[in-house]
Structure formats: structure tokens, C-alpha cells
Amino acid sequence: DPQRVILLSGFTGNVIDLGVNIVGVDVWSKNNPTFEKEMKDVTEVSDEDLEKIIELEPDLIIGLSNIKNLDKLSEIAPTVTYTWGKVDYLTQHIEIGKLLNKEKEAQAWVDNFKKEAEEAGNEIRAKIGEDATVSVMESYGKDLYVFGSNWARGTEILYQAMNLKMPEKVKEVAEESGYFTLSAEVIPEYAGDYVILSKYSDADTSFQETDTYKNIPAVKNNRVFEMNGQGASFSDPVTLEKQLEFFKKSFLGN
């Protein structure tokens, strides 16, 4: 029955959704606009801020399996780590539910979300056609990426829950590794009939000014849906609900 949880690598939205008090979070969670309200008074910490963590008196620390100082953190409070991608995004929420003694609530959220996303997927496929393809791309810094079906940015919803199609070319390069770096010149080869473009506010988006980009069918047909990159790299209940609404609005206009 933890009362003071510290999160060192994501999972923040999972804990928010389950209504458990958070006292410290990683920089990405702290700066995530999706959690702005909930994170207002929460301290930013990293796996190297041992003194700061001690001062926060946590009774549970959660992180990914690659965090540093695991032995020292375990001395401060029970520390539980998860391996990224070891289980799917819904099972991950249930696992965190078990840890927080909220398994019933986590399972209820999962059941409801699956149903909602599936219904939306059926509606979207009925509208755009069963064979229409969707690419998820991201503009971050000077780089451009395309994603497989398990790399946040809404990929889990689109490909797993809604059963929308990924372009074959994307499947070849990104499905196994999760993501693939693109150069601006080859975007047309990886762009589906629809493109979800996750954009960071400080990203170099000059590629959008090029003829190569402007001539992509999805661009010409107004089928590029842009979402805020800040916060899109999470796949927790709070983020997923927000993304599901965004996809419904983008594809169905409601």
C-alpha cells in the first residue's frame, strides 16, 4: 500500500491513473505536458540524485531495468524495475496495478480501453478502407523516425488495438527494432495513405518545406495528422486516452 512513490523512468501515467501519490519523477515525466497538472508540485529526480531521493522518503521506487545505482536505491526503499518491451503495454499496466495493490482497477481500465479502441478502429477502417495504410513518424532534433507497432507515439493503439495497416516497407525496417531513422529524401517510400507525425517543438521541420514532402499523396490529400512530440513517447493510461481521442478526431472528425 505505497503512499510515496518515486518513478525514475516513465510509468508515471500508470501510477497517476491508479490514484497513488507520487513524490518524485524523471525529467521526461516532469516536463510532459500531459501530466502538467499532476506533476506541478512533484520533485524532479534521476537515478543519480541519491541524497534528493532520501530526502523525499519514498516507500517505493519504480524504474526500468537499466537504471543506475540499483543496489543503493534498494537500500533507500523497495525498488522494482521492469524491462522495456518485455510485456505489452496493457499487461504492463496490470503489472504495475499488482505492485500498487490495485490490480482490479488496472484490469478494469484495460478491459474498457480495449473495447473503446476496438470500436474506434472498426469505425476508422469502415471509413478509410481495410487496406489503407498508416505510418507513424517523428521529427525530433534534426532526425526523422518511423515506428513499428510497439514504440509509443500511439503505435500500440493504431496497429495493435485498432488493427490498422502498417506499410510493408515500414514493417521491414521498424517492426523488429521498434524504430528506424529516415533521411528526408526517402520519406515518400515510408509514408502510408495516412501519416501520424509526432513533432517536438524544437525539431528541425525544414523537410516539410521540400517538394519531396509536399508531393507525398498523404500530404496532398490532407491526411497528415500532427501531434505534439512532447509526451508522445509514453504509453500509459493517461497518454493512451488522450491519443485515442486524437485519433478519433483526426480520422473520424468527432
Side-chain angles (χ1 to χ4, degrees), residues 7-58:
L7 296 146
L8 294 175
S9 22
F11 305 124
T12 306
N14 303 83
V15 181
I16 292 172
D17 180 70
L18 294 167
V20 175
N21 183 44
I22 299 170
V23 293
V25 289
D26 60 286
V27 60
W28 288 87
S29 297
K30 180 71 177 170
N31 296 332
N32 184 339
T34 311
F35 310 143
E36 194 175 358
K37 192 168 93 257
E38 293 88 351
M39 293 296 105
K40 197 161 70 77
D41 303 317
V42 176
T43 307
E44 183 190 311
V45 289
S46 81
D47 49 12
E48 295 183 332
D49 295 331
L50 297 173
E51 282 175 23
K52 216 193 236 183
I53 289 173
I54 291 169
E55 281 167 24
L56 290 170
E57 299 180 352

Side-chain angles (χ1 to χ4, degrees), residues 125-146:
R125 291 199 314 280
K127 184 179 173 185
I128 68 174
E130 290 290 341
D131 292 326
T133 56
V134 181
S135 300
V136 180
M137 296 183 172
E138 183 168 88
S139 172
Y140 175 73
K142 293 204 174 310
D143 293 319
L144 263 172
Y145 302 94
V146 66

Side-chain angles (χ1 to χ4, degrees), residues 143-194:
D143 293 319
L144 263 172
Y145 302 94
V146 66
F147 299 100
S149 62
N150 185 28
W151 213 258
R153 287 109 183 139
T155 55
E156 292 91 349
I157 303 176
L158 296 164
Y159 301 129
Q160 294 182 43
M162 289 183 171
N163 251 335
L164 299 181
K165 278 202 164 158
M166 185 188 294
E168 279 306 316
K169 188 103 185 186
V170 174
K171 207 179 271 181
E172 283 167 29
V173 297
E175 189 52 10
E176 216 169 291
S177 58
Y179 66 95
F180 182 72
T181 313
L182 300 178
S183 63
E185 301 76 51
V186 300
I187 298 175
E189 296 174 37
Y190 297 91
D193 301 314
Y194 292 80

Side-chain angles (χ1 to χ4, degrees), residues 10-253:
F11 305 124
T12 306
N14 303 83
V15 181
I16 292 172
D17 180 70
L18 294 167
V20 175
N21 183 44
I22 299 170
V23 293
V25 289
D26 60 286
V27 60
W28 288 87
S29 297
K30 180 71 177 170
N31 296 332
N32 184 339
T34 311
F35 310 143
E36 194 175 358
K37 192 168 93 257
E38 293 88 351
M39 293 296 105
K40 197 161 70 77
D41 303 317
V42 176
T43 307
E44 183 190 311
V45 289
S46 81
D47 49 12
E48 295 183 332
D49 295 331
L50 297 173
E51 282 175 23
K52 216 193 236 183
I53 289 173
I54 291 169
E55 281 167 24
L56 290 170
E57 299 180 352
D59 51 15
L60 176 64
I61 298 170
I62 304 174
L64 284 172
S65 53
N66 59 356
I67 55 172
K68 298 175 188 150
N69 296 315
L70 190 52
D71 48 343
K72 290 178 181 152
L73 291 165
S74 302
E75 287 169 17
I76 300 169
T79 302
V80 177
T81 66
Y82 295 100
T83 305
W84 168 256
K86 183 123 186 231
V87 295
D88 69 66
Y89 68 116
L90 297 174
T91 308
Q92 182 67 66
H93 187 53
I94 293 167
E95 288 302 319
I96 290 170
K98 286 179 190 170
L99 174 66
L100 301 174
N101 200 16
K102 301 259 187 184
E103 188 180 357
K104 272 217 315 271
E105 293 89 331
Q107 186 66 57
W109 182 87
V110 165
D111 295 342
N112 185 53
F113 184 78
K114 269 165 97 164
K115 190 167 140 284
E116 257 190 71
E118 196 180 321
E119 282 168 9
N122 292 340
E123 269 186 75
I124 290 169
R125 291 199 314 280
K127 184 179 173 185
I128 68 174
E130 290 290 341
D131 292 326
T133 56
V134 181
S135 300
V136 180
M137 296 183 172
E138 183 168 88
S139 172
Y140 175 73
K142 293 204 174 310
D143 293 319
L144 263 172
Y145 302 94
V146 66
F147 299 100
S149 62
N150 185 28
W151 213 258
R153 287 109 183 139
T155 55
E156 292 91 349
I157 303 176
L158 296 164
Y159 301 129
Q160 294 182 43
M162 289 183 171
N163 251 335
L164 299 181
K165 278 202 164 158
M166 185 188 294
E168 279 306 316
K169 188 103 185 186
V170 174
K171 207 179 271 181
E172 283 167 29
V173 297
E175 189 52 10
E176 216 169 291
S177 58
Y179 66 95
F180 182 72
T181 313
L182 300 178
S183 63
E185 301 76 51
V186 300
I187 298 175
E189 296 174 37
Y190 297 91
D193 301 314
Y194 292 80
V195 175
I196 307 297
L197 180 61
S198 157
K199 274 168 83 170
Y200 277 78
S201 50
D202 53 357
D204 173 6
T205 54
S206 54
F207 69 91
Q208 288 186 288
E209 304 307 317
T210 64
D211 287 343
T212 311
Y213 179 79
K214 287 178 180 168
N215 284 319
I216 294 170
V219 178
K220 282 181 155 174
N221 297 324
N222 276 333
R223 290 175 174 174
V224 177
F225 306 135
E226 294 190 2
M227 68 179 178
N228 185 357
Q230 268 88 354
S233 62
F234 286 67
S235 44
D236 57 78
V238 181
T239 305
L240 291 164
E241 281 173 18
K242 186 179 163 190
Q243 288 173 342
L244 180 58
E245 284 315 305
F246 170 74
F247 294 144
K248 280 194 209 168
K249 206 170 148 201
S250 301
F251 285 102
L252 302 168

